[in-house]
Amino acid sequence: RVGEGLRGGVANDFDTGAGAGASRLVTGDSLAHRALEEELARLEETDAALLFNSGYAANCGLLTAFAGPEDVILSDELNHASIIDGCRLSRARVEVVRHASAQAFADALKAAHGRRVLVVTDTIFSMDGDRAPLSDLAALCERYGALLFIDEAHATGVLGPRGAGLAVELGVAADARMATLSKAAGVVGAYVAAERAVCDLLINRARPLVFSTALPPAIACAALRAIQLLSGPEGDARRARLWSHIARFAQGLRALGFEAHENSPIFPVVLGAPERAVATALRMRERGVLVKAIRPPTVPQGTSRLRFALSAAHSPEQIDAALTALRESL
């Protein structure tokens, strides 16, 4: 099997220059990639992990490897574009389900008829910062015999012990967990964590993996160190600082009259019209605060917003300065 070839031999070591030179299945596999995958599997408490070049590639590769025209995918209506496009490329029948509604997913699972049924959802939604009802979805999938695929891009590094994500925090088992290395880890790339058999199937069938040059080994080395820091005592200290910022910022937004929940580092300030969002973002830039205006089609009509994303690297003074700039810019 192709998977056995990839797992069985290493084409090169850390001294490879700037690029990997080829796909993982040809000569682009290295000790650096293997070491990073082993560290990611330890972080996620899974049998294995498999690297992809981006979250977009990982979601498209995962969904097209497991679903086809005879299958059904149930997808949250606010899932990331990479999930949406992976669903489309799979050629499965896709049912878009009301956002974060366990009851809506239950109704869809009752009505679903296909060779295979998959439920796919972000765990932290990128534009609203809210959480999926993950425990309920896992129980529903077990009840109806469906597969559960989750995107932990905005949860990994932030939630759970060692920053392992929402699934580990809740003790929820998913059939595959995707996460990126470009957000909390601060590097680039992505991975799927799952049972060994799942990863071996992806090695053979995930086209974005099979037909793309691998991540540069130097990137894999940088990501390995980032994951080690993220999952150790330094990561715990940074997470504590981040959650202190989250509480401070949420309190400040509520004082300004906005709804704000302490679910994640992502805070939407919904302003309605795209013109208002853009103008407010420009006024904040003039006051020294970078916050981006998000408009349709990224978000629904009438919900244009400022999207704040907090970091452990911020200081309390910077959090307060952002709130002051927002108040003065509205």
Side-chain angles (χ1 to χ4, degrees):
R1 292 181 52 185
V2 175
E4 292 169 354
L6 191 158
R7 298 292 180 190
V10 178
N12 48 52
D13 59 20
F14 290 175
D15 186 16
T16 58
S23 74
R24 295 285 299 281
L25 276 68
V26 185
T27 59
D29 195 32
S30 76
L31 291 171
H33 297 102
R34 304 293 188 86
L36 176 55
E37 287 173 339
E38 290 173 4
E39 188 69 24
L40 291 168
R42 282 193 289 270
L43 173 71
E44 297 280 357
E45 300 177 353
T46 55
D47 288 345
L50 186 64
L51 288 170
F52 285 80
N53 287 5
S54 68
Y56 196 100
N59 276 331
C60 287
L62 177 64
L63 290 165
T64 54
F66 274 89
E70 298 178 5
D71 302 316
V72 177
I73 301 177
L74 308 180
S75 176
D76 189 287
E77 66 179 331
L78 294 188
N79 275 339
H80 189 266
S82 60
I83 295 176
I84 295 169
D85 288 357
C87 291
R88 291 169 175 167
L89 289 169
S90 75
R91 297 179 295 155
R93 181 163 59 87
V94 180
E95 300 288 343
V96 178
V97 181
R98 188 168 73 251
H99 174 55
S101 170
Q103 184 58 56
F105 273 100
D107 294 341
L109 281 164
K110 290 176 186 176
H113 298 287
R115 178 186 61 181
R116 184 182 294 113
V117 180
L118 289 74
V119 169
V120 60
T121 184
D122 286 322
T123 57
I124 299 294
F125 291 89
S126 61
M127 290 298 121
D128 291 272
D130 57 338
R131 303 184 184 191
L134 197 55
S135 296
D136 292 337
L137 295 182
L140 286 168
C141 287
E142 183 176 2
R143 177 180 176 184
Y144 289 99
L147 298 176
L148 177 60
F149 291 173
I150 61 175
D151 182 329
E152 294 259 54
H154 291 280
T156 299
V158 174
L159 297 172
R162 309 177 315 284
L166 184 59
V168 173
E169 178 176 292
L170 298 176
V172 166
D175 294 286
R177 305 205 293 267
M178 194 288 291
T180 64
L181 298 166
S182 55
K183 295 180 174 61
V187 192
V188 69
Y191 63 92
V192 172
E195 293 182 0
R196 176 72 64 187
V198 170
C199 290
D200 283 347
L201 185 142
L202 290 173
I203 290 167
N204 287 274
R205 295 186 60 180
R207 293 173 69 84
L209 171 74
V210 175
F211 298 107
S212 292
T213 297
L215 286 171
I219 293 294
C221 290
L224 173 61
R225 184 59 181 144
I227 293 298
Q228 290 169 341
L229 291 171
L230 181 149
S231 59
E234 184 173 341
D236 291 338
R238 292 188 183 197
R239 274 184 290 280
R241 187 159 62 248
L242 173 61
W243 282 98
S244 176
H245 294 342
I246 289 168
R248 189 184 193 98
F249 195 68
Q251 182 179 11
L253 285 181
R254 290 191 289 265
L256 293 176
F258 293 101
E259 184 177 355
H261 302 284
E262 298 169 28
N263 289 317
S264 76
I266 299 169
F267 287 91
V269 173
V270 178
L271 299 177
E275 296 81 5
R276 185 184 180 200
V278 170
T280 305
L282 288 173
R283 287 193 291 270
M284 292 198 68
R285 178 77 69 91
E286 293 168 354
R287 288 167 171 79
V289 177
L290 175 62
V291 58
K292 302 301 288 187
I294 308 296
R295 299 163 288 169
T298 303
V299 295
Q301 291 287 345
T303 69
S304 291
R305 65 197 63 189
L306 303 180
R307 178 184 181 270
F308 291 86
L310 307 186
S311 165
H314 289 129
S315 67
E317 293 76 19
Q318 289 172 324
I319 299 298
D320 292 343
L323 290 164
T324 298
L326 176 62
R327 185 184 70 247
E328 294 174 349
S329 300
L330 291 171

